């Protein structure tokens, strides 16, 4: 292994591995350092996303969704499969296989692109030298013209609910339960809490979610949050707002949770408890104090709009920097940094990063919410269209939810798109593309949408922006 590179990337999550591949494609001599190792000491690629995040959670969400389809929805199609049973071990095996396939795929891609791989813990020293400490304690130093920090994040723990990896678990533990808990508590009704609560709720757990805030999904458009609360309640998720967990006690394989709900002290018992109260950047011991890199009090590395840190030639991307903790945001930062190192002044449009909650119905958003525009004093017009009036949605029995588009009142330019319902993520992605091209509501109104498709809800929502939807009576025009 050479010890001098054009680029050394620390971390091989979706931010780091994409950056490394892009750098190699651009002809840069690139190495990636990864601390995660399998029992044989070989590096495990793909980070949180592929191993314990996006992918395994979506595998379980899809399995559990299929289970509810068979249990609750097949009969209306005239399909009688009797009462389905869940084989948790089988479901986990399938999830693990998908993870192995994808992490192995990243390994092959790194190899195919000629990226050098170093297993070990990377630490940036001064002068863009990276010290790598392997699992066996051996140290090596890689020097680089550019270093990219991409060490990702880890679950936040809270003193009232210390995890024991058995009864009280974090998101990683909740992906490996060996049976369906009868009573499941979840602390935090954010994206991860809702997704994991949904998986086990669908399979039969009685799920209670404790959320300290008094608003449900405050980052989403309020109309979407309201619809989501209604649908999740119908599904049996017991979401307690204004409920702050203050303590836990373990006894005989169960946990008693004490919490303050709207000022009142209460308690409840569960067989399993998932702590899903957020994630924090993994920046402890990532760089020496003389490296020139700085971070805020919460551990996020300071970067400019282009992910350059305060140390020349050192960049930081993904969950360790400002912005949403999302795999695709980190990957595109990785691409931007690779291009910049190579000399092309690419820039990322942070206004157009979509966010998705993979519950059923799915929830997705890009751009501004109504409440943000009101707070910013921007005059806008909004239109929404329900899936209940979309032929394809009726044919699929997926009639909950709607698509909503918000446009600037003066220029008609689309400022935000929000959806809850079937294919919400893919429909919002259509608006990401439209917004990237500076598209207006009228542009979408004049496009041809295939029939019958879920996309027709996008078309109709754009028409509804001007009170001109065809397949529903329109509200009085503004
Ligand atoms: P990570 O994926 O955390 O990767 C960092 C890598 O760096 C790790 O492999 C780590 O071992 C390595 N590393 C750390 N320190 C060092 C060091 N000093 N030396 C060497 N290596 C080091 N996001 C989405 O966009 N969509 C989703 O559906 C989604 N679902 C999620 C579900 C769950 C349950 C969780 C927990 C997260 C989910 N996320 C989702 C978030 C997503 O996983 C993260 O935003 C994403 O993985 C961040 O990418 P990253 O490359 O910055 O860091
Ligand atoms: P997210 O950051 O989207 O993963 O959401 C985590 C959620 O957990 C936030 O909405 C927090 O308000 C919530 N939370 C954090 N601590 C507690 C607590 N002790 N009790 C209940 N909810 C909490």
């Amino acid at each position: 292994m050479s010890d001098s590179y054009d680029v050394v990337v620390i971390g091989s999550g979706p931010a780091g591995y994409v950056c490394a591949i892009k750098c190699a494609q651009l002809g840069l001599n690139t190495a990636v350092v990864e601390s995660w190792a399998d029992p044989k000491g070989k590096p495990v690629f793909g980070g949180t996303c592929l191993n314990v995040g996006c992918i395994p959670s979506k595998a379980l969400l899809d399995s559990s969704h299929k289970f509810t389809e068979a249990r609750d929805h097949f009969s209306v199609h005239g399909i009688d499969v009797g009462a389905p049973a869940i084989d948790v071990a089988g479901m986990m095996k399938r999830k693990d296989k998908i993870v192995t396939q994808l992490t192995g795929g990243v390994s092959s891609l790194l190899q195919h692109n000629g990226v050098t791989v170093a297993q070990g813990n990377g630490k940036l020293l001064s002068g863009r030298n990276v010290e790598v400490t392997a699992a066996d304690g051996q140290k090596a130093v890689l020097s680089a013209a550019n270093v990219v920090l991409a060490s990702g994040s880890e679950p936040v723990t809270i003193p009232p609910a210390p995890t024991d990896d058995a009864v009280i678990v974090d998101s990683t533990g909740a992906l490996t339960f060996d049976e369906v808990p009868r009573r499941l508590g979840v602390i935090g009704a954010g994206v991860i809490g809702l997704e994991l609560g949904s998986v086990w709720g669908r399979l039969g757990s009685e799920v209670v979610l404790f959320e300290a805030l008094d608003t449900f999904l405050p980052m989403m458009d309020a109309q979407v949050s309201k619809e989501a609360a209604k649908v999740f309640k119908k599904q049996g998720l017991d979401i307690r707002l204004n409920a702050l967990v203050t303590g836990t006690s373990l006894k005989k394989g169960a946990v008693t949770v004490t919490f303050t709900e709207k000022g009142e002290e209460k308690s409840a018992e569960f067989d399993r408890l998932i702590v899903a109260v957020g994630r924090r950047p993994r920046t402890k011991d990532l760089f020496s104090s003389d490296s020139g890199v700085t971070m805020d009090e919460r551990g996020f590395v300071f970067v400019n709009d282009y992910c350059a840190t305060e140390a020349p030639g050192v960049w930081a991307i993904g969950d360790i920097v400002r912005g949403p903790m999302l795999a695709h945001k980190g990957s595109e930062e990785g691409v931007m940094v690779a291009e910049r190192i190579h000399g092309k002044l690419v820039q990322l449009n942070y206004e157009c990063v979509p966010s998705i909650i993979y519950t059923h119905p799915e929830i997705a958003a890009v751009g501004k919410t109504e409440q943000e525009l009101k707070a910013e004093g921007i005059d806008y017009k909004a239109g929404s269209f329900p899936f209940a009036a979309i032929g394809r949605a009726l044919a699929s029995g997926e009639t909950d939810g709607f698509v909503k588009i918000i446009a600037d009142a003066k220029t008609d330019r689309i400022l935000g798109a929000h959806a809850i319902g079937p294919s919400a993520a893919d429909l919002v992605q259509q608006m990401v593309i439209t917004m990237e091209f500076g598209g207006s509501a009228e542009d979408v109104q004049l496009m041809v949408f295939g029939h019958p498709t879920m996309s027709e809800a996008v078309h109709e929502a754009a028409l509804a922006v001007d009170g001109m939807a065809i397949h529903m009576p329109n509200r009085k025009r503004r």
Side-chain angles (χ1 to χ4, degrees):
M1 194 198 308
S2 143
D3 58 3
S4 182
Y5 295 89
D6 295 326
V7 186
V8 169
V9 182
I10 301 181
S12 75
Y17 85 75
V18 170
C19 182
I21 290 173
K22 190 75 194 177
C23 285
Q25 284 176 343
L26 294 172
L28 299 163
N29 182 18
T30 306
V32 66
V33 185
E34 175 55 63
S35 57
W36 203 324
D38 69 12
K40 290 184 187 146
K42 285 202 167 157
V44 173
F45 302 109
T48 305
C49 170
L50 262 50
N51 292 283
V52 292
C54 321
I55 297 303
S57 60
K58 264 81 263 179
L60 297 187
L61 278 159
D62 280 332
S63 295
S64 57
H65 177 62
K66 286 196 180 346
F67 179 78
T68 59
E69 288 285 282
R71 185 187 60 199
D72 306 331
H73 303 299
F74 277 10
S75 58
V76 295
H77 294 270
I79 305 168
D80 180 7
V81 289
I86 185 74
D87 166 14
V88 174
M91 178 176 79
M92 292 296 170
K93 203 168 144 196
R94 172 184 176 273
K95 173 208 68 173
D96 293 341
K97 199 171 155 209
I98 294 163
V99 168
T100 310
Q101 190 177 334
L102 287 171
T103 53
V106 172
S107 177
S108 310
L109 286 171
L110 291 169
Q111 198 183 5
H112 173 80
N113 284 284
V115 175
T116 302
V117 168
Q119 195 287 318
N121 197 71
K123 180 172 183 172
L124 175 69
L125 309 175
S126 65
R128 294 191 295 274
N129 289 307
V130 175
E131 179 189 69
V132 182
T133 310
D136 61 8
Q138 283 216 354
K139 286 188 193 294
V141 175
L142 312 180
S143 69
N146 287 273
V147 174
V148 184
L149 306 174
S151 52
S153 61
E154 58 198 2
V156 167
T157 48
I158 48 170
T163 51
D164 69 347
D165 293 333
V167 176
I168 307 180
V169 299
D170 59 18
S171 58
T172 303
L175 295 168
T176 54
F177 286 162
D178 52 6
E179 59 181 9
V180 180
R182 189 170 69 78
R183 301 162 304 174
L184 175 67
V186 182
I187 312 180
V191 178
I192 293 175
L194 281 168
E195 290 187 359
L196 295 173
S198 294
V199 166
W200 297 105
R202 289 169 190 172
L203 299 178
S205 297
E206 293 162 18
V207 182
V208 180
L209 289 109
F210 299 98
E211 173 51 61
L213 299 175
D214 57 6
T215 324
F216 182 55
L217 294 178
M219 68 294 193
M220 288 288 169
D221 188 89
Q223 193 183 339
V224 171
S225 311
K226 200 170 148 203
E227 174 77 4
K230 198 176 83 191
V231 179
F232 293 147
K233 194 170 171 199
K234 206 164 74 183
Q235 289 174 3
L237 291 182
D238 184 357
I239 301 167
R240 308 285 186 91
L241 297 180
N242 234 323
L244 177 75
V245 172
T246 51
T248 49
S249 66
L250 288 165
K251 203 171 156 192
K252 287 191 198 144
V255 54
T256 302
V257 173
T258 47
F259 59 101
T260 316
E261 190 172 24
K262 298 181 180 113
E264 212 182 306
E265 291 289 326
K266 295 184 180 173
S267 69
E269 197 177 85
F270 300 100
D271 302 303
R272 290 276 196 287
L273 180 66
I274 304 173
V275 183
V277 294
R279 298 181 62 79
R280 64 165 162 246
R282 246 182 93 175
T283 43
K284 193 166 172 275
D285 295 330
L286 179 65
F287 46 87
S288 62
S289 54
D290 59 358
S291 65
V293 177
T294 51
M295 58 183 176
D296 69 14
E297 70 286 351
R298 291 183 305 157
F300 288 97
V301 173
F302 280 121
V303 286
N304 65 11
D305 288 349
Y306 315 112
C307 292
T309 71
E310 295 187 50
V314 181
W315 312 76
I317 56 176
D319 280 9
I320 60 168
V321 301
R322 79 282 174 274
M325 284 183 162
L326 293 169
H328 45 277
K329 173 258 189 189
S331 297
E332 289 314 309
E333 286 178 334
V335 170
M336 170 174 73
V337 164
E339 292 281 12
R340 283 189 167 250
I341 291 173
H342 192 240
K344 196 169 169 190
L345 299 183
V346 166
Q347 105 188 38
L348 203 156
N349 182 1
Y350 285 97
E351 297 292 313
C352 280
V353 178
S355 58
I356 302 137
I357 310 179
Y358 294 85
T359 44
H360 195 89
E362 206 163 81
I363 301 171
V366 63
K368 302 282 187 187
T369 62
E370 272 203 63
Q371 59 266 31
E372 281 170 341
L373 290 168
K374 273 186 193 136
E376 290 170 25
I378 296 171
D379 200 10
Y380 64 88
K381 43 188 184 164
S384 51
F385 193 85
F387 284 105
I390 293 291
R392 186 66 198 273
L394 273 157
S396 310
E398 301 272 6
T399 49
D400 282 330
F402 55 86
V403 173
K404 174 174 183 173
I405 293 177
I406 307 176
D408 188 289
K410 288 187 206 79
T411 65
D412 196 37
R413 190 180 174 132
I414 295 176
L415 302 174
H418 308 272
I420 173 167
S423 307
D426 294 314
L427 301 187
V428 162
Q429 189 63 37
Q430 299 179 2
M431 291 300 94
V432 174
I433 298 167
T434 310
M435 286 168 72
E436 282 283 3
F437 284 100
S440 64
E442 189 186 27
D443 287 329
V444 181
Q445 291 167 3
L446 297 174
M447 284 175 196
V448 183
F449 284 76
H451 174 78
T453 59
M454 301 298 182
S455 300
E456 287 173 293
V458 172
H459 194 200
E460 290 280 4
L463 289 162
V465 164
D466 291 312
M468 299 293 277
I470 299 287
H471 293 93
M472 70 171 186
N474 291 282
R475 282 208 226 125
K476 234 175 34 192
R477 284 207 248 166
R478 285 162 60 98

